[in-house]
Amino acid sequence: MATAGMAFAAALGLLGSLVGPSVGEAQAAPTGIRVSDGRVVEANGDEFVMRGINHAYTWYPEQTTAIADIAAKGANTVRVVLGSGDRWTKTSASQVSGLIGQCKANKVICVLEVHDTTGYGEDGAATTLDKAADYWISVKSALEGQEDYVVVNIGNEPYGNTNASAWTGATKSAISKLRSAGLNHALMVDAPNWGQDWSGTMRANAASVFASDPDRNTIFSIHMYGVYDTAAEVQDYLNHFVNNGLPIVVGEFGDAHSDGNPDEGAIMATAQSLGVGYIGWSWSGNGSGVEYLDMANGFDPNSLTSWGNRFINGANGIAATSETASIYGGGGEPGGGGDTGNGTAPNGYPYCVNGSSSDPDGDGWGWENSQSCVIPGGSADSGGGAGDGTAPNGYPYCVNGSSSDPDGDGWGWENSQSCVVAGSGADS
């Protein structure tokens, strides 16, 4: 049941790609979640940075509280595994409606994905992206009008390591089919090579795939397991997309895997510094030797595994970095923590998305999107970037500042863990 267990260990291909001018600048139709200037935004233009957890609904439909439990941990997104009927039991339109309702009730964005495509070309049981597109069209009635709340992830890891070059054409065709059928949602497309794109296929062709979408509303998803076992590989891949104005999300990752040891710390820290979304695999229910990817033991929200505790409560985890979507009245106050690059500093200027890299002279001020921005926790941030990211000593900054620190020693207590009051004596 684990989603990415078969990626072969390989050196990450540092394949450069030529990206056309202004590739991320075309505006999607102003309906719901969309892409604007290479970033994921909501209908009102507020940036939305996914901080989520995957939930294997199609194998565990009886786990009816999972979405609520994930949301209670601070996630702003749940990526939900569905079946198209080609390999796993078809998730009906009424079930899709129910799942969307749960997401809305718990104030999380639903990323809905068809899992039957996993490893196509290498796994004989997998189906095509074209078949996945047919599934989405068959449940269109459940999706219509939900553009503010739903991202359609066309197919999970749609190619294995066999004929991965076919990914580009198949992805463009699936996007075209869905747009022709009238689906106006933000679309998400997973990389080939069991999601890890070690061949660089998605990286090299993302610009043309994005341009093929008439709505210019396609988000790219990389899955980071053993191929991404160094910070350099993580940073190189994500920076390529950000620097070229292409929307990217880490749609899956873990802290261990059979094909190598992913650098989860680098994945989370890099995503946070770039303002890139990430979604960890997975809440519970993994089998076939990868049970270590469970975040909760037996779907029990009160029994987190070491991976679950790291992902939720650790440095750059969702408790410290997740911000509720503005459609639910969120925005500005992270749901348990910070929002590097999102929100506004106390002096009225926006926080910088790219952190200190936007501030070459180190004065606390950066320049992004043709305007000044404030480095969270820098000398220009009179609020100390409270709740934004992680202090140099590895503890999260306190969301509520000095109010979490009644004895004034610079240490606070939030979300059942210690936090540092930004700018205090404990903030080295």
Side-chain angles (χ1 to χ4, degrees), residues 194-338:
W194 300 95
Q196 298 201 79
D197 199 30
W198 59 259
S199 65
T201 301
M202 185 171 82
R203 174 177 171 145
N205 294 282
S208 68
V209 170
F210 185 85
S212 76
D213 180 357
D215 288 354
R216 302 296 193 271
N217 200 16
T218 296
I219 303 162
F220 298 92
S221 175
I222 182 69
H223 294 181
M224 291 186 162
Y225 292 98
V227 171
Y228 299 89
D229 56 357
T230 68
E233 290 165 328
V234 172
Q235 293 162 5
D236 178 77
Y237 197 91
L238 296 181
N239 271 298
H240 172 84
F241 280 78
V242 172
N243 292 339
N244 286 286
L246 292 163
I248 183 74
V249 167
V250 183
E252 290 184 18
F253 69 102
D255 66 340
H257 211 48
S258 56
D259 67 339
N261 183 18
D263 190 340
E264 74 282 355
I267 293 167
M268 296 164 78
T270 304
Q272 180 68 3
S273 69
L274 296 176
V276 164
Y278 66 64
I279 310 172
W281 186 274
S282 69
W283 183 237
S284 199
N286 287 287
S288 302
V290 293
E291 290 82 359
Y292 51 78
L293 288 171
D294 282 0
M295 294 186 185
N297 292 302
F299 290 92
D300 182 355
N302 298 312
S303 178
L304 295 180
T305 65
S306 60
W307 165 224
N309 190 59
R310 165 67 185 94
F311 180 84
I312 293 166
N313 298 315
N316 300 301
I318 60 172
T321 66
S322 177
E323 182 181 343
T324 304
S326 63
I327 191 68
Y328 298 121
E333 273 306 320

Side-chain angles (χ1 to χ4, degrees), residues 22-50:
S22 305
V23 78
E25 294 179 3
Q27 298 294 313
T31 301
I33 298 169
R34 56 193 174 91
V35 175
S36 177
D37 293 328
R39 314 299 293 186
V40 179
V41 303
E42 297 184 69
N44 63 1
D46 283 358
E47 189 170 351
F48 180 67
V49 181
M50 295 183 189

Side-chain angles (χ1 to χ4, degrees), residues 22-414:
S22 305
V23 78
E25 294 179 3
Q27 298 294 313
T31 301
I33 298 169
R34 56 193 174 91
V35 175
S36 177
D37 293 328
R39 314 299 293 186
V40 179
V41 303
E42 297 184 69
N44 63 1
D46 283 358
E47 189 170 351
F48 180 67
V49 181
M50 295 183 189
R51 290 287 180 264
I53 295 176
N54 285 271
H55 167 48
Y57 169 80
T58 195
W59 304 312
Y60 300 102
E62 73 279 5
Q63 296 295 336
T64 56
T65 67
I67 290 175
D69 292 338
I70 291 169
K73 296 299 182 185
N76 65 16
T77 302
V78 179
R79 182 171 179 259
V80 186
V81 176
L82 307 182
S84 64
D86 295 286
R87 182 172 186 177
W88 287 289
T89 302
K90 181 177 179 178
T91 309
S92 68
S94 62
Q95 288 174 305
V96 172
S97 291
L99 290 165
I100 295 171
Q102 289 184 48
C103 286
K104 291 165 73 172
N106 290 285
K107 299 184 178 181
V108 293
I109 297 301
C110 260
V111 175
L112 303 176
E113 61 102 338
V114 162
H115 215 76
D116 304 52
T117 56
T118 306
Y120 177 73
E122 190 172 346
D123 188 334
T127 194
T128 64
L129 279 172
D130 186 66
K131 283 280 194 177
D134 288 339
Y135 168 78
W136 293 117
I137 294 168
S138 76
V139 296
K140 180 183 174 184
S141 61
L143 301 170
E144 288 179 313
Q146 304 301 326
E147 292 85 356
D148 284 327
Y149 308 96
V150 172
V151 174
V152 174
N153 190 172
I154 302 176
N156 183 70
E157 300 178 1
Y159 280 84
N161 295 316
T162 302
N163 197 28
S165 61
W167 173 90
T168 305
T171 300
K172 290 179 178 179
S173 294
I175 291 170
S176 176
K177 191 170 195 175
L178 293 178
R179 295 301 186 214
S180 296
L183 267 74
N184 299 316
H185 302 70
L187 302 177
M188 185 178 287
V189 295
D190 284 7
N193 306 125
W194 300 95
Q196 298 201 79
D197 199 30
W198 59 259
S199 65
T201 301
M202 185 171 82
R203 174 177 171 145
N205 294 282
S208 68
V209 170
F210 185 85
S212 76
D213 180 357
D215 288 354
R216 302 296 193 271
N217 200 16
T218 296
I219 303 162
F220 298 92
S221 175
I222 182 69
H223 294 181
M224 291 186 162
Y225 292 98
V227 171
Y228 299 89
D229 56 357
T230 68
E233 290 165 328
V234 172
Q235 293 162 5
D236 178 77
Y237 197 91
L238 296 181
N239 271 298
H240 172 84
F241 280 78
V242 172
N243 292 339
N244 286 286
L246 292 163
I248 183 74
V249 167
V250 183
E252 290 184 18
F253 69 102
D255 66 340
H257 211 48
S258 56
D259 67 339
N261 183 18
D263 190 340
E264 74 282 355
I267 293 167
M268 296 164 78
T270 304
Q272 180 68 3
S273 69
L274 296 176
V276 164
Y278 66 64
I279 310 172
W281 186 274
S282 69
W283 183 237
S284 199
N286 287 287
S288 302
V290 293
E291 290 82 359
Y292 51 78
L293 288 171
D294 282 0
M295 294 186 185
N297 292 302
F299 290 92
D300 182 355
N302 298 312
S303 178
L304 295 180
T305 65
S306 60
W307 165 224
N309 190 59
R310 165 67 185 94
F311 180 84
I312 293 166
N313 298 315
N316 300 301
I318 60 172
T321 66
S322 177
E323 182 181 343
T324 304
S326 63
I327 191 68
Y328 298 121
E333 273 306 320
D339 57 5
T340 298
N342 296 315
T344 305
N347 60 15
Y349 285 84
Y351 281 123
C352 299
V353 173
N354 298 316
S356 58
S357 64
S358 297
D359 177 26
D361 63 359
D363 66 351
W365 290 93
W367 184 260
E368 294 176 354
N369 299 314
S370 301
Q371 64 177 329
S372 294
C373 58
V374 172
I375 305 300
S379 57
D381 184 4
S382 58
D388 289 280
T390 305
N393 60 17
Y395 284 83
Y397 282 122
C398 299
V399 175
N400 300 315
S402 59
S403 64
S404 297
D405 176 27
D407 63 358
D409 66 353
W411 291 93
W413 184 259
E414 294 177 355

